[in-house]
Amino acid sequence: MRQELLSLPKGLAEEVSKNLVMVARLIDEDPEQAYAYSRIALRLASRVAAVREAAGFAAYATQKYSEALAEFRAAKRMTGSVELWPVMADCERGLGRPERALAMAGEPEVQKLDKAGQVEMRLVAAGARRDQGQLEAAIVTLQSPELASNAVQPWTARLRYAYADALLAAGREDEAREWFGKALEADKDGATDASDRLAELDGVEFVDAAIDAADDEDQDGAENPVDDEDDEDDEDDEDDAAEIAAAERATDVAEYYDEDDEEYEPLEQSEADSDVRGDKA
């Protein structure tokens, strides 16, 4: 990416780089905001492959699959790389075209992918089979040397989880439980909810401790009605004081703010953010 940005004037390269950093930082926790930053970078440097790729992933994260596919295709044309092939196929799934995703799984580009890319393509193909209601075919698609291997790779947990989920959908509960357990063993980063799925299969129910605590407080209050009356008197005094303070503040505000005057209508936070981003661009 750095090499690609060096082709831009220094000031422009710095601005594009800042927006791409924000995309990477926000794409998991706030995809919509990441998407907004990606659009700024795209307006500034649409001929940079890294920018097109980042814009594609931001659109993908917000389920704008048609837009994501267009950006991924543009990045692929610019670089000649096939590493985006699996996510491009998954965009086809997102657009309701699983048959196209399956066709892509049989293209020569798949053979050019590294091991992680080939596993990702297998996951997409299995998903496409499930989209078409072909559960058994999805299970067979996931059966591979990578699935059978005891070695743990970055993609191992997701592959085992997908296999367990397909087994469960096919009604093979005992096998599904076994593979959810194997997925959990490989899932050191918590990338899946395999532990929750296992608990669900075993009939384990989680109780919210906060709700229990609130119930206990209610019961304690019922046993001490006199204390409750004292508390209510104190709360009434506090409410009176709060109302007086609120009235005084309202009087002060009325001196400089008229809510019926459109000129003083507060600006929404999202619009303010948008104006700041626009100024930066």
Side-chain angles (χ1 to χ4, degrees):
M1 180 187 299
R2 185 180 297 274
Q3 286 298 116
E4 293 182 53
L5 293 177
L6 288 176
S7 64
L8 301 173
K10 183 178 179 180
L12 180 59
E14 291 178 354
E15 189 66 24
V16 172
S17 177
K18 289 177 182 178
N19 282 283
L20 293 182
V21 168
M22 293 306 297
V23 172
R25 183 178 299 173
L26 295 170
I27 196 165
D28 291 328
E29 60 187 51
D30 191 347
E32 289 293 344
Q33 192 69 14
Y35 175 78
Y37 279 106
S38 77
R39 301 308 296 177
I40 296 174
L42 193 60
R43 288 197 298 270
L44 294 173
S46 61
R47 296 186 178 183
V48 175
V51 171
R52 303 303 290 267
E53 183 176 331
F57 277 110
Y60 179 80
T62 53
Q63 299 183 5
K64 298 177 177 67
Y65 297 117
S66 180
E67 187 175 323
L69 185 57
E71 298 300 342
F72 289 142
R73 284 172 174 168
K76 180 177 178 296
R77 284 196 303 270
M78 292 176 178
T79 63
S81 172
V82 298
E83 65 179 6
L84 295 173
W85 196 253
V87 71
M88 290 168 63
D90 206 38
C91 286
E92 295 287 5
R93 283 188 62 212
L95 291 169
R97 302 191 295 241
E99 69 284 352
R100 293 193 184 184
L102 288 172
M104 292 178 68
E107 294 291 335
E109 282 82 355
V110 176
Q111 303 305 317
K112 300 176 184 178
L113 294 169
D114 60 13
K115 181 61 68 177
Q118 291 180 2
V119 170
E120 195 66 34
M121 193 70 238
R122 189 178 292 276
L123 287 168
V124 173
R129 291 293 187 189
R130 291 190 63 172
D131 293 343
Q132 295 180 324
Q134 302 172 2
L135 282 175
E136 290 300 329
I139 291 171
V140 172
T141 299
L142 292 169
Q143 292 170 346
S144 61
E146 293 80 18
L147 180 67
S149 175
N150 291 324
V152 175
Q153 303 293 341
W155 34 260
T156 301
R158 291 178 58 241
L159 181 60
R160 292 177 179 178
Y161 182 93
Y163 188 60
D165 193 49
L167 289 169
L168 185 61
R172 296 158 64 174
E173 186 173 309
D174 290 340
E175 294 173 83
R177 181 183 287 103
E178 176 187 353
W179 281 97
F180 276 129
K182 291 183 177 181
L184 182 59
E185 291 175 2
D187 193 0
K188 305 303 181 184
D189 301 324
T192 72
D193 64 345
S195 60
D196 293 340
R197 300 297 296 276
L198 273 173
E200 183 180 345
L201 284 172
D202 292 334
V204 176
E205 294 185 4
F206 296 98
V207 178
D208 192 330
I211 295 177
D212 281 355
D215 291 341
D216 291 341
E217 289 178 1
D218 291 342
Q219 292 176 3
D220 291 341
E223 294 172 0
N224 300 282
V226 176
D227 292 342
D228 281 352
E229 291 176 1
D230 293 337
D231 291 341
E232 287 175 3
D233 291 338
D234 293 338
E235 289 174 2
D236 289 340
D237 293 339
E238 291 174 2
D239 290 342
D240 291 341
E243 289 176 3
I244 293 171
E248 291 174 349
R249 288 196 300 272
T251 301
D252 293 338
V253 170
E255 293 178 358
Y256 65 89
Y257 177 73
D258 182 1
E259 63 182 3
D260 293 329
D261 189 344
E262 294 181 356
E263 180 180 356
Y264 293 100
E265 184 175 352
L267 186 65
E268 294 292 339
Q269 183 65 36
S270 60
E271 294 176 359
D273 292 345
S274 177
D275 290 343
V276 171
R277 291 196 297 272
D279 292 340
K280 284 182 62 180

